[in-house]
Each structure stands twice: as structure tokens, then as C-alpha cells.
Amino acid sequence: MKNSRLPVTIGKVMAVIGCCSVIATAPTHAIAKRSTGILVLGAKNADDNYRNAIIWLDKRGCKLFFSGKVAGIRGALDVKDPGNMALLGCRKPSVARKIDDLSVSMPELQIVIGQFDGGQFDQKSSAEKHYTVKFSRFNNNDVSRRKQDLLALNSEAKSISNGWRQAGILIPDAAYGMAKPDAIDFIYYENPADAQNFRSDNPTVVQKVGKFNSDHVLDFAYVNSRPK
């Protein structure tokens, strides 16, 4: 399903922040600070292939962080209406050379692989946290300012008791079954109440999110998941 373009308005941004949380299953492994990251999006009505892909990756040393059923997508970046989503961390970079084989055998999957940089995934059980996964394609008009603005946003949110926390970022090297985004961000709220209250308690920060998207982002998509 191709997503219709959403105007970057404060109202839309508030709707996106509110709707698109990934409620993660509890992880059995931590993802290293820097590792090869793989995001797998499984097609609807193809659960067996999706599960087989996770098993295939597990056998090659990739450890599952979270997985969830996809309830919907918001945004203009073309992510094909998936049914499932999983994030894995792989300590062996050689697995990247084998993803071609997985993609050929299961072409309905959407797979993104790249350098994962994160340090928050090894804290308390992720079953209690609400994750937001944002796919972005940047305009690159001012890369230095974009990085500064993003750092400032994450820092401000971290200073707020019910604000989001940055869990990590995946910088894609390759994508299969979809156009390669420039970045995939993973943020979380500590619990469902924080995710809900943040929007009403912090309208100024929500406005800054809208300005960031307007200034730096060509296309984006937020994936909304529910627990399995």
C-alpha cells in the first residue's frame, strides 16, 4: 500500500507521535553499542516466511531485540504495508554478505541492513517500553545543522520526565524490497502513560519536531505496531 503524503504541520506531527509506538516483546539479548543491525518487515499473510527469516538470522549469530505486529503506517516514504517487524543485532559483519540469499529466497520481505549505533537497548525489559520507529529521507540542505538540531531535540526530550529517549539509529548500507532510507531512528517512552502525556504536556517540543521535519526531511514514515 503506497502511503499518501502528509503535510508537515504541527497537528499532523502530534498525530504521528501519538499513534506510532512499537510495543516491544521482551528481549532475551542486548544489542551491542555498535553492530550490524537488520530490520525485517514481513508481508501480511506471510507469517511463516517472516518467522523463518528470523530463525535464519538467529542461526547466523543475529539476536532478536524486538518484534511486533504492524498496525499501520503514517508518512509519505514508501514502506510497503508490512504485517510484522523485527529488529536484530548481529556482531558478525559477514552476515551482511548473506542477506542477498535471504532476499532472493523470500522476496516479499523488506529488509534494511546497516550500521546500528545504540546504547539503550540493554536496559530494563523492553516489554514495558513504547518504541517509535521513524524512517527518514533527508534533504541534506544543511547536514551539520540537522545533526545539531537532532542532538538538541533528543537532549531536550531527555531532560523531560515523560519525554522520549533515544534507543539507537540504523544507518542503512542496503535495502531489499524497498527504497533505501537515509536513517531509521528508534526512540522509546518508558511506559504508555508517558507516551500519551508527553504530547499534552510539552507542546513546544512537539512544535520543534514539526520544524525539524520541515527543515530537514524530504519523506518520512512512522510504523505503528502492536505486541504479538
Side-chain angles (χ1 to χ4, degrees):
M1 178 182 72
K2 187 175 179 62
N3 302 300
S4 59
R5 181 174 296 274
L6 294 181
V8 182
T9 64
I10 299 306
K12 292 292 187 182
V13 171
M14 291 181 69
V16 167
I17 292 175
C19 81
C20 298
S21 59
V22 175
I23 306 175
T25 58
T28 56
H29 304 280
I31 293 180
K33 172 69 176 174
R34 287 182 183 273
S35 61
T36 297
I38 299 177
L39 185 64
V40 180
L41 302 172
K44 290 182 177 178
N45 303 317
D47 288 352
D48 287 345
N49 279 350
Y50 169 76
R51 285 191 293 267
N52 288 338
I54 304 306
I55 293 170
W56 188 93
L57 289 165
D58 179 74
K59 289 180 177 179
R60 287 156 179 81
C62 301
K63 303 306 180 183
L64 180 68
F65 170 66
F66 75 72
S67 62
K69 283 281 187 181
V70 174
I73 300 173
R74 287 179 181 264
L77 197 149
D78 191 13
V79 179
K80 301 181 189 118
D81 200 16
N84 302 278
M85 179 170 61
L87 173 67
L88 301 95
C90 313
R91 295 183 181 274
K92 297 180 180 179
S94 60
V95 73
R97 297 193 294 269
K98 302 175 182 178
I99 295 298
D100 282 339
D101 297 335
L102 180 62
S103 179
V104 169
S105 63
M106 302 180 188
E108 74 284 353
L109 296 175
Q110 296 176 89
I111 304 172
V112 184
I113 184 167
Q115 177 180 298
F116 182 83
D117 190 352
Q120 302 300 317
F121 283 147
D122 56 353
Q123 295 186 3
K124 76 175 188 178
S125 173
S126 294
E128 301 175 14
K129 297 177 180 178
H130 279 224
Y131 281 83
T132 295
V133 180
K134 181 184 180 182
F135 297 72
S136 299
R137 188 170 296 121
F138 301 123
N139 57 33
N140 293 322
N141 290 338
D142 191 335
V143 175
S144 178
R145 185 181 150 220
R146 184 185 77 223
K147 292 179 179 179
Q148 292 173 1
D149 289 350
L150 183 58
L151 182 64
L153 269 177
N154 284 324
S155 178
E156 184 169 1
K158 189 175 181 180
S159 71
I160 299 169
S161 61
N162 62 357
W164 73 75
R165 304 292 182 260
Q166 185 179 29
I169 184 170
L170 178 65
I171 303 299
D173 294 322
Y176 302 82
M178 64 179 292
K180 182 169 72 71
D182 293 323
I184 302 174
D185 289 281
F186 300 84
I187 65 173
Y188 67 87
Y189 297 89
E190 289 291 349
N191 53 63
D194 281 355
Q196 179 64 33
N197 293 334
F198 171 79
R199 300 187 302 280
S200 57
D201 293 348
N202 303 281
T204 300
V205 182
V206 172
Q207 290 177 14
K208 290 178 181 179
V209 173
K211 188 173 189 311
F212 177 89
N213 284 338
S214 179
D215 289 347
H216 303 297
V217 181
L218 286 174
D219 293 313
F220 60 83
Y222 293 84
V223 176
N224 178 22
S225 284
R226 62 180 182 270
K228 290 186 175 181

